[in-house]
Amino acid sequence: MNSIEPYLKNRTELKAWQIEMQEVHSEEIYMVSNKTEAIRNTSVTRNTVGVFLDQKENEKDSMGESSVRFDGMPDTWKEDIDGAIESASYIKNPAYELSEKWLPEKEKTRYTYDASIHKNAQELIFKIEETARRFCEKHKKRTSLSYLETHFKTRHRRLSNSKGLDLLYPQSEVLYDFSLLSQDREHEIQVFMTRNFFQDLPLYKLLEDEAAKLEQIVTAVLPPTGNFSVVLAEEALDTLFDFHIYQLSGEALFQDISIWKEKDDIYDGKKPVEQLNLSTSPEFQGCSGSICCDLLGYETKPVDLITDGVVTNFAIDGKYSHLLQKQITSGYTNTIVGSGETAYEDFFTNGTIELLRFSTFSPDPISGNFSGEIRLGFIHKNGKRIPIRQGSVTGNIKDGLLTCNYSKERVRRQNYIGPAGVHFESLTLAGDV
């Protein structure tokens, strides 16, 4: 950083520049079954340099921009930056500004940084070994641990630019990647999870929960075909509101593809069963979206997007505030959804489908249509909870919200805080014919 900044300052043809430096330290353990294959300790410094040039396009202000990334300080770093500057000279994009200097509140690091990971990484590695072996011993006649990969990471990021901004903020991350095999080795369940805080991913409970789900998968049947009352929970919640998130973004406004403007009724005058309340906020401990600034260094803040079904604002980050000539609100951070009035268990009448795991599930950001292949769900029938898998569920999130209920109970996932389940009056399943 000390070498790069003076070099950029001396390049007088630059309109602006930005440097992001990441120092990443990772303690890792790799296990096969209950045996440790490797324990690794890695450290790397990554530098990303962005360069910006004044350009003209049909007498309008435009900007050439390019970036280069390198690990550490290679001998070629000057040539790499020169190459990025040359590349920027061939580009003419709409112009925007980088963030001015500001100072973040120190206490905001409590949302993203678990100091115990950095201080006690070796001790945590030994806990992972002991936990995995204890689980394997308990379940050796029922389930086997195929592999377990664990990373404990700490990142110290520094973002500086030509306007005097100089932010330093730490982040931590816990990563689990593992696979469980059924006793007959015919079925498998794979899990990949990250959180910022160690306490948010209790490994033994996670392994136990996944082992129980694997046993359910072994006996699962195809779902029925037709239209059914459906509750979406667990993995579906991570992406369920992606359509609304995009439609209420600065990018959608700039591309002129947002279907809404402020004060619009998202239900087009129809009366929903329960109103949607949606916001975004970086102020939640342990959530991956709890970042202090956007990509250009502008501060992130809470923003109410939909209140009782009415659009109240858009998530407009620093870049799009300039492109749109609109007031900056904040880049999108975590998804916050309001609770409903119904207890989760009260959603399940005879024939209701409960869906938890998918191969893929993401509503289209333009149409709101979605289709997801089912990895695990249940049909509630005659007082029983019958496991189902394979087949698919389809629907449209915009239309479907008219008949939605949101549970009273709330969950916190990677970057979602909201109802534990969302009940749809009718979605289409394709399965057993």
Side-chain angles (χ1 to χ4, degrees):
M1 182 78 78
N2 292 336
S3 300
I4 298 173
E5 281 195 16
Y7 186 72
L8 293 171
K9 288 177 180 177
N10 288 330
R11 297 300 299 263
T12 56
E13 73 271 38
L14 291 178
K15 172 188 177 181
W17 51 263
Q18 177 174 286
I19 306 170
E20 181 182 22
M21 183 186 73
Q22 286 194 58
E23 293 180 348
V24 184
H25 181 76
S26 182
E27 300 275 355
E28 304 163 5
I29 180 170
Y30 300 82
M31 301 185 70
V32 176
S33 186
N34 64 346
K35 297 180 180 179
T36 300
E37 293 288 302
I39 295 177
R40 298 177 185 169
N41 178 316
T42 63
S43 293
V44 65
T45 299
R46 297 189 176 99
N47 294 295
T48 302
V49 180
V51 292
F52 306 87
L53 299 172
D54 266 328
Q55 302 280 50
K56 286 289 183 182
E57 178 72 17
N58 298 325
E59 301 305 317
K60 293 183 179 179
D61 288 337
S62 297
M63 183 168 68
E65 55 184 310
S66 184
S67 65
V68 62
R69 195 186 88 169
F70 41 82
D71 292 342
M73 288 292 287
D75 293 338
T76 60
W77 68 269
K78 290 183 181 179
E79 289 86 346
D80 294 337
I81 291 174
D82 291 346
I85 294 173
E86 182 178 357
S87 295
S89 69
Y90 300 118
I91 297 170
K92 293 183 178 180
N93 288 335
Y96 56 86
E97 298 290 334
L98 305 185
S99 173
E100 301 283 353
K101 181 178 180 179
W102 62 278
L103 295 175
E105 300 173 14
K106 289 185 178 180
E107 59 266 25
K108 281 192 174 183
T109 60
R110 73 180 186 273
Y111 301 131
T112 60
Y113 183 59
D114 182 352
S116 69
I117 290 177
H118 180 66
K119 294 177 180 177
N120 307 314
Q122 285 292 332
E123 181 182 335
L124 297 178
I125 289 290
F126 295 139
K127 283 185 178 180
I128 295 299
E129 283 186 299
E130 189 277 331
T131 298
R133 288 169 181 162
R134 182 157 51 97
F135 172 83
C136 288
E137 179 62 27
K138 177 181 177 181
H139 290 269
K140 61 185 177 182
K141 295 183 179 180
R142 298 166 53 201
T143 302
S144 61
L145 178 64
S146 176
Y147 70 88
L148 169 64
E149 180 177 333
T150 304
H151 294 206
F152 294 107
K153 293 184 179 181
T154 55
R155 293 185 178 90
H156 287 84
R157 295 187 175 188
R158 182 180 175 188
L159 186 68
S160 62
N161 68 25
S162 50
K163 290 193 169 186
L165 181 73
D166 193 1
L167 298 177
L168 182 63
Y169 51 101
Q171 291 179 295
S172 56
E173 180 182 85
V174 181
L175 180 153
Y176 294 146
D177 180 3
F178 66 82
S179 171
L180 299 177
L181 293 175
S182 60
Q183 186 178 17
D184 59 9
R185 306 185 76 82
E186 293 293 322
H187 298 86
E188 179 184 27
I189 194 165
Q190 291 181 304
V191 175
F192 183 91
M193 281 190 177
T194 64
R195 294 291 188 272
N196 295 104
F197 285 71
F198 178 68
Q199 66 186 22
D200 292 336
L201 279 184
L203 180 60
Y204 193 82
K205 182 180 185 303
L206 185 59
L207 289 167
E208 287 279 345
D209 290 348
E210 296 304 315
K213 285 184 169 65
L214 179 59
E215 291 185 352
Q216 293 162 338
I217 287 173
V218 169
T219 62
V221 298
L222 276 169
T225 295
N227 294 325
F228 299 91
S229 166
V230 173
V231 174
L232 296 179
E234 292 194 9
E235 286 185 353
L237 301 174
D238 296 335
T239 55
L240 184 59
F241 297 94
D242 279 3
F243 168 77
H244 295 81
I245 291 167
Y246 182 75
Q247 288 291 322
L248 295 170
S249 69
E251 180 181 348
L253 284 176
F254 181 70
Q255 299 294 343
D256 199 26
I257 52 179
S258 176
I259 61 173
W260 292 314
K261 59 181 183 296
E262 284 188 38
K263 299 184 180 180
D264 274 358
D265 177 1
I266 67 168
Y267 305 108
D268 298 326
K270 299 173 185 175
K271 186 173 177 58
V273 171
E274 205 160 29
Q275 300 279 11
L276 174 66
N277 288 281
L278 176 69
S279 60
T280 182
S281 174
E283 298 178 353
F284 284 86
Q285 181 171 303
C287 292
S288 62
S290 296
I291 52 178
C292 72
C293 64
D294 65 23
L295 294 176
L296 298 182
Y298 290 90
E299 185 178 10
T300 52
K301 299 177 181 179
V303 184
D304 291 328
L305 301 171
I306 296 174
T307 303
D308 292 335
V310 175
V311 175
T312 52
N313 218 329
F314 286 75
I316 302 174
D317 63 16
K319 176 180 178 178
Y320 283 104
S321 70
H322 287 101
L323 297 181
L324 292 163
Q325 294 296 296
K326 286 181 175 288
Q327 180 73 33
I328 184 173
T329 57
S330 174
Y332 207 88
T333 53
N334 297 304
T335 300
I336 319 298
V337 180
S339 301
E341 299 180 356
T342 308
Y344 186 83
E345 288 302 320
D346 290 345
F347 286 149
F348 302 110
T349 56
N350 200 43
T352 299
I353 305 289
E354 179 185 18
L355 300 179
L356 308 180
R357 298 288 177 88
F358 298 87
S359 296
T360 57
F361 185 91
S362 186
D364 184 88
I366 308 301
S367 67
N369 294 329
F370 62 81
S371 178
E373 181 186 353
I374 301 165
R375 280 188 175 174
L376 178 63
F378 300 90
I379 181 168
H380 293 252
K381 192 171 183 179
N382 300 325
K384 296 181 179 180
R385 192 170 179 244
I386 303 167
I388 57 175
R389 64 185 291 263
Q390 300 182 330
S392 63
V393 60
T394 58
N396 181 282
I397 186 63
K398 181 178 182 294
D399 298 336
L401 286 191
L402 274 167
T403 60
C404 269
N405 293 95
Y406 308 95
S407 72
K408 287 181 179 179
E409 297 87 345
R410 294 178 69 77
V411 294
R412 178 166 61 89
R413 295 179 59 81
Q414 187 164 336
N415 68 334
Y416 168 91
I417 303 96
V422 180
H423 172 253
F424 291 78
E425 184 178 279
S426 180
L427 294 178
T428 302
L429 270 71
D432 189 8
V433 294

